[in-house]
Amino acid sequence: GILKSAIVETLGLNPENYRIFFRGREKEDGEDLLTAGIKNRSKVVLMGVLSSTGESPEEAKTSLRSKGTEAVSLVTEEVDKLSEQVSALECVVNGDTKLDDKDFIYLTEMLMRQLLKLDGIESEGEGRVQRKLQVSRVQGLIDKMDSIRSKNSNPVSDVQVQTSESIKWETF
């Protein structure tokens, strides 16, 4: 029963809709793994059955898809907020205001946390596509943060390059 619960909960399914089979025989929930002959690397079969609610394994898979899509949408909301903060930080740095590294570290850490959340989401179909798009988006924001941080560290070098280029241009 514990094995079945662990497998089914990991997949986000209802344990009542599934049975575990080992060597062609169904194993009861109260049966001990050792007594049943199940050891490390043993192969078990998880088979879905119709429940009293009528939920089939396919419906449960659809439920898993919707849970994945829902989880990605929650992360998307957080990424939207963080994206606004990145834009605000960029405006401040472009306005020649030097910021403390704490601001960059905090925001980068928050973006990395969103990546970890996305990495932990299991989804099928549309949810998987949305997840990939959000991963790319977050990685882009992290790259942008690195660029802004670099500009914040060396604001004078950009001005010097522009000035030296204009001097060269005038010389010709």
Side-chain angles (χ1 to χ4, degrees), residues 102-120:
K102 290 187 301 185
D103 300 322
F104 297 101
I105 293 169
Y106 171 76
L107 202 47
T108 302
E109 179 66 28
M110 295 306 292
L111 288 166
M112 292 300 287
R113 286 183 182 186
Q114 298 311 309
L115 272 180
L116 289 173
K117 285 181 186 178
L118 287 166
D119 190 45

Side-chain angles (χ1 to χ4, degrees), residues 59-170:
E59 290 169 337
K61 193 172 184 180
T62 302
S63 173
L64 177 63
R65 286 181 186 159
S66 64
K67 285 180 183 178
T69 304
E70 183 180 325
V72 171
S73 68
L74 291 173
V75 173
T76 301
E77 290 175 16
E78 289 297 317
V79 172
D80 289 342
K81 293 174 187 175
L82 293 171
S83 176
E84 291 174 9
Q85 292 178 14
V86 170
S87 295
L89 204 64
E90 183 178 30
C91 289
V92 170
V93 170
N94 286 340
D96 294 331
T97 303
K98 187 165 173 65
L99 296 174
D100 192 26
D101 269 352
K102 290 187 301 185
D103 300 322
F104 297 101
I105 293 169
Y106 171 76
L107 202 47
T108 302
E109 179 66 28
M110 295 306 292
L111 288 166
M112 292 300 287
R113 286 183 182 186
Q114 298 311 309
L115 272 180
L116 289 173
K117 285 181 186 178
L118 287 166
D119 190 45
I121 296 173
E122 292 185 28
S123 184
E124 297 286 329
E126 182 65 27
R128 178 174 280 171
V129 172
Q130 290 176 1
R131 184 181 150 285
K132 282 179 114 175
L133 289 172
Q134 288 306 314
V135 166
S136 296
R137 180 178 176 210
V138 172
Q139 289 171 337
L141 287 170
I142 290 172
D143 291 342
K144 189 173 187 179
M145 284 295 298
D146 290 340
S147 172
I148 297 168
R149 187 175 186 184
S150 169
K151 186 173 183 176
N152 184 60
S153 299
N154 300 323
V156 179
S157 65
D158 292 339
V159 174
Q160 289 175 347
V161 170
Q162 291 174 352
T163 306
S164 64
E165 287 176 359
S166 63
I167 291 172
K168 287 179 185 177
W169 183 258
E170 291 173 3

